[in-house]
Amino acid sequence: MNASRTARERVRAELISEIKEVARRQLAVEGASGLSLRAVARELGMVSSAIYRYFPSRDDLLTALIIEAFDAIGAATENADASCPRDRHLDRWMSVCRAIRTWALAHPHEYALIHGSPVPGYVAPEDTAAPAARDGIVLAGILRDAHEAGKLAPPPAGLPPAPPSFAADAEQLREALFAPLSDDVILLALEGWTHIYGTVSFELFGMYRNVIEQDRAAAFDHVALTQAHILGLDTPTPAA
Amino acid sequence: MNASRTARERVRAELISEIKEVARRQLAVEGASGLSLRAVARELGMVSSAIYRYFPSRDDLLTALIIEAFDAIGAATENADASCPRDRHLDRWMSVCRAIRTWALAHPHEYALIHGSPVPGYVAPEDTAAPAARDGIVLAGILRDAHEAGKLAPPPAGLPPAPPSFAADAEQLREALFAPLSDDVILLALEGWTHIYGTVSFELFGMYRNVIEQDRAAAFDHVALTQAHILGLDTPTPAA
DNA sequence: GACGAAACGAGAGCGCTGCTCTTGACGACG
DNA sequence: CGTCGTCAAGAGCAGCGCTCTCGTTTCGTC
């Protein structure tokens, strides 16, 4: 309906995504602090000030890349989840966890962008909230499905219960994500989520140097499997 | 014995620590990427090039700060451990875990320096290895003491065993840190260590925004307690 | 006690950065 | 056809890490 106006807007949108692509490539090579607006402009054959027509500041470019990174890891988890039969809850969990690690190893700088130290005075804008939640939605969905199918075992005995102060947060999370699950399971789910990313970050940021050297994939699987057990996802699947 | 030579060397050492202190203060305000050699020099009333007499590059200054941060968090854990009776293994564990979180919350930028994304092409020099290991030594010591006292329960049933590929790494770690503990316990200890720091990082880097808002200290305690249980540290202490 | 070497602070300067402001050209719309 | 918004370009500002040079001061040694 607006092919005329679109002519301009389309070239604009194209240029924006071209800038982001060049920036992402530069980010992958040099890391976040090495991303230079001038270098991006140079590679695009334009002058540095022209970039400011599309991104009001370097931080805004970085924010765009952060959103893309969240979306990429979110899509990776969703694909991993969808590639498993819906009733194989443990397989889905393991597949999603491995997808997170695989994506992180393949895109270390982008991973660092979203799970590393936040840049100096940077506060994540609201735009990042939705893309950042996609992995959580996937993981919570697995737990919900398992619960609905009656395949979610209760947490092992001996674990401490969720503290009473968690009740309010749990209620919020239950409404948004966790269907009918108990406070205890919701808290354990958050901890599993934290543990998975903590393990990936430790591996990626070099904390396992001289600590785990042989087979980090196997060690990661052990973490994911342990969390699955704690969450009650490893009820024996009906034999063949 | 060398007051003459010391005259120069003492003022040098003093200037070095003065530079580090100013840099640390600047780091605390602006974060790692905001640390500027010129600003440090300015605050010290000297010219920027003079700094290079003491630190050959900005990265070397950062490395010095990283080592200091590792040492600070190492000392915090050691103090927390020492403040508990030696046979109260669970108390020691909880105290050390809380000390890590407390230190991190009090020094967010220094924490980010050592547990955030590594700077661009930066590889940690060997000098950081020893200070970086102090917290691990403390945590491993608690497990060793508990085991020696016959108070370390075996891991809960149902958890996956350590993968065979971990045996070699476990052997190295056993020699260095973990006395006679089994591969399974060593791997679980690494995972507990990872989980603790992962939780602190998530809290500090804003991942719990709109997720855990009420009482993050209690949630953290729950993590630490859960890990203690998995590691077998929560055998009921002899009544009173 | 004098001398050479080493260490030092100051200053100028290189190339880079993010960002701002102005200028002139192009394209869409009334 | 004229007007107005959008655009790329260029100059320029302040800051950065880092290097080199130049006098000065301090130290260890004849």
Side-chain angles (χ1 to χ4, degrees), chain B residues 40-100:
Chain B
V40 171
R42 220 176 294 130
E43 188 164 336
L44 258 53
M46 52 200 317
V47 92
S48 73
S49 58
I51 300 280
Y52 287 83
R53 299 273 177 202
Y54 303 92
F55 293 93
S57 81
R58 181 179 175 276
D59 273 5
D60 289 84
L61 215 194
L62 264 182
T63 299
L65 294 182
I66 288 175
I67 292 177
E68 288 201 341
F70 272 125
D71 267 324
I73 204 167
T77 57
E78 287 164 10
N79 290 339
D81 186 35
S83 76
C84 297
R86 201 150 183 284
D87 61 333
R88 306 288 299 235
H89 308 106
L90 179 58
D91 290 347
R92 288 168 65 188
W93 173 269
M94 294 300 292
S95 176
V96 168
C97 289
R98 291 191 187 114
I100 291 172

Side-chain angles (χ1 to χ4, degrees), chain B residues 4-5 7-8 35-38 42 48-49 52 57-58:
Chain B
S4 58
R5 164 183 267 185
R8 179 118 96 184
L35 179 101
S36 146
L37 276 187
R38 292 180 113 111
R42 220 176 294 130
S48 73
S49 58
Y52 287 83
S57 81
R58 181 179 175 276

Side-chain angles (χ1 to χ4, degrees), chain A residues 63 66-67 70 113-114 118-119 121-129 132, chain B residues 205-207 209-210:
Chain A
T63 299
I66 289 175
I67 293 176
F70 271 126
L113 206 56
I114 60 182
V119 289
Y122 184 83
V123 285
E126 282 306 307
D127 321 354
T128 64
Chain B
F205 297 165
M207 290 289 156
R209 198 172 303 144
N210 298 323

